[in-house]
Amino acid sequence: MAGEHLTGWIMTSPEPPAVARRRVRLALRAAREARGFTQQHVADELDWSLSKVNRIEKGDVTVSKTDLLALLELFGVDDDELIDDLVRAARSSRQRGWWDEPRFREHLTPPMLQLLQFETEATAIRVFQPTLVTGPFQTRAYAQAVLDFWQPELSSVVREARLETRLMRGEQLLSRADPPDIYFIFDESLLHRPVGGVPVMAEQLRHLLLIMERPTVHVRVVPSAAGALVAMLGPFLICDFGEEENAVLYRESLLLDEVVHSAETIGRHRRYFEHLWQESLSETESVRLIEARADHMYSRMRRDTSG
């Protein structure tokens, strides 16, 4: 039956807009490729521009119900359950979540808005952040200190919106009924960089240790002696959705960020991550190192107070 190759795209529960849009675009691309059609052929058959077909498949735009049904008919998809599901997904792709409130939407980058939605559906998240504690694991004071660094470029309103977003990301990820497995790698130098001052950093390390007690959170430290690759890589995050082939990559550099869907690019970053994971201290050794550094900071604070 036409459309059998798309049965894996059916969902039975609501999903965030970015996730729904991604599922629709991947289903449409799979259906087109199953028929052996090029994007140009689709454009010619439906009297559309090639750019319209390309934007739909890239997820740059949402697809209307009328256009979705036209595409599915062209591709010979006649499974009523699948068609109804993709229509619901197309409708979901236009829905709004907490991230669409003006106080967030107007001050967050489009890639970050997508990431917030992808994280709600991810089954596993791999984070490489060499010099800072990853955003969702940050305390309010630590996050404030990080964002204050950008005062010349970001207004106080933007910084406040991003601060609240970081705190909500952490709550969203860690309080999910089905939390994803989170793998976080950072460089040892992070432990010796007291962002916000010693009291703020000491509190942050204690907070990180508490998070690391969760069975779904896995943290490893790259020791300084093994940090050659660390110096060459910028921060990145991979969200998996069930299988390795079903993933997105989020990269950031200074004030620029992007969401990448390229399987080749995602695969390359996955290999970087796995290499660093193997080069890192074990989770037990990482806990001991973080504890020792936190204890050192608290001892220093007590000496400063008593002196």
Side-chain angles (χ1 to χ4, degrees):
M1 181 174 64
E4 283 184 347
H5 56 285
L6 295 181
T7 54
W9 298 106
I10 295 178
M11 290 285 289
T12 58
S13 58
E15 53 195 331
V19 178
R21 181 185 300 186
R22 182 174 184 276
R23 187 161 64 85
V24 170
R25 77 174 187 82
L26 291 178
L28 290 174
R29 187 179 70 184
R32 175 180 62 77
E33 292 176 346
R35 292 299 300 269
F37 294 164
T38 64
Q39 289 187 343
Q40 185 62 64
H41 177 79
V42 173
D44 292 342
E45 287 293 316
L46 297 177
D47 197 23
W48 292 352
S49 67
L50 177 60
S51 64
K52 176 176 178 176
V53 179
N54 185 256
R55 288 198 306 274
I56 290 174
E57 288 199 9
K58 288 176 62 180
D60 291 341
V61 296
T62 56
V63 59
S64 68
K65 178 179 178 181
T66 300
D67 288 347
L68 175 62
L69 293 177
L71 287 165
L72 293 176
E73 181 179 1
L74 177 64
F75 300 150
V77 177
D78 56 6
D79 183 321
D80 290 339
E81 181 182 5
L82 174 60
I83 292 171
D84 289 344
D85 177 71
L86 290 176
V87 168
R88 285 194 299 272
R91 187 182 303 116
S92 294
S93 71
R94 296 187 289 276
Q95 298 301 308
R96 298 179 179 274
W98 65 263
W99 46 80
D100 274 309
E101 294 179 27
R103 65 193 179 106
F104 296 117
R105 186 184 69 249
E106 294 173 2
H107 304 302
L108 300 178
T109 65
M112 175 53 67
L113 289 169
Q114 292 183 55
L115 177 63
L116 293 172
Q117 298 167 57
F118 286 133
E119 285 181 336
T120 66
E121 292 292 307
T123 55
I125 298 174
R126 290 169 172 79
V127 185
F128 172 65
Q129 172 52 274
T131 58
L132 294 171
V133 173
T134 183
F137 292 172
Q138 292 178 6
T139 64
R140 176 178 288 274
Y142 184 93
Q144 185 74 67
V146 172
L147 288 165
D148 281 349
F149 175 81
W150 300 106
Q151 285 188 33
E153 286 84 12
L154 302 177
S155 70
S156 60
V157 175
V158 172
R159 297 199 309 275
E160 181 63 25
R162 295 190 179 188
L163 172 63
E164 293 304 320
T165 297
R166 290 189 185 190
L167 299 178
M168 291 184 72
R169 278 181 70 199
E171 181 180 350
Q172 176 177 278
L173 280 174
L174 298 174
S175 64
R176 267 177 49 180
D178 57 340
D181 283 305
I182 302 176
Y183 302 87
F184 172 38
I185 301 175
F186 64 84
D187 184 60
E188 184 178 353
S189 63
L190 179 153
L191 299 174
H192 301 277
R193 187 176 296 106
V195 173
V198 173
V200 170
M201 190 66 186
E203 178 194 34
Q204 174 63 75
L205 293 183
R206 286 296 187 204
H207 181 66
L208 178 59
L209 287 166
L210 286 174
I211 291 175
M212 291 169 67
E213 294 178 1
R214 296 169 178 261
T216 56
V217 175
H218 316 275
V219 178
R220 287 191 176 188
V221 179
V222 182
S224 299
L229 184 58
V230 171
M232 297 183 285
L233 286 177
F236 66 87
L237 178 155
I238 300 173
C239 281
D240 286 313
F241 305 97
E243 308 89 22
E244 283 193 2
E245 309 81 52
N246 192 8
V248 296
L249 169 71
Y250 175 80
R251 290 190 297 200
E252 56 182 332
S253 175
L254 296 178
L255 292 174
L256 303 177
D257 61 348
E258 62 177 341
V259 170
V260 180
H261 299 279
S262 164
E264 179 181 355
T265 304
I266 295 170
R268 184 167 63 251
H269 283 73
R270 193 184 297 279
R271 290 190 293 273
Y272 292 153
F273 190 93
E274 294 305 322
H275 175 75
L276 287 168
W277 191 257
Q278 295 304 317
E279 292 291 316
S280 301
L281 300 176
S282 70
E283 291 177 55
T284 300
E285 292 170 324
S286 297
V287 166
R288 289 174 184 158
L289 185 61
I290 297 168
E291 284 180 336
R293 188 59 184 163
D295 289 344
H296 173 78
M297 288 184 173
Y298 277 108
S299 296
R300 175 179 167 184
M301 289 162 57
R302 286 192 293 268
R303 288 196 306 269
D304 291 345
T305 302
S306 62

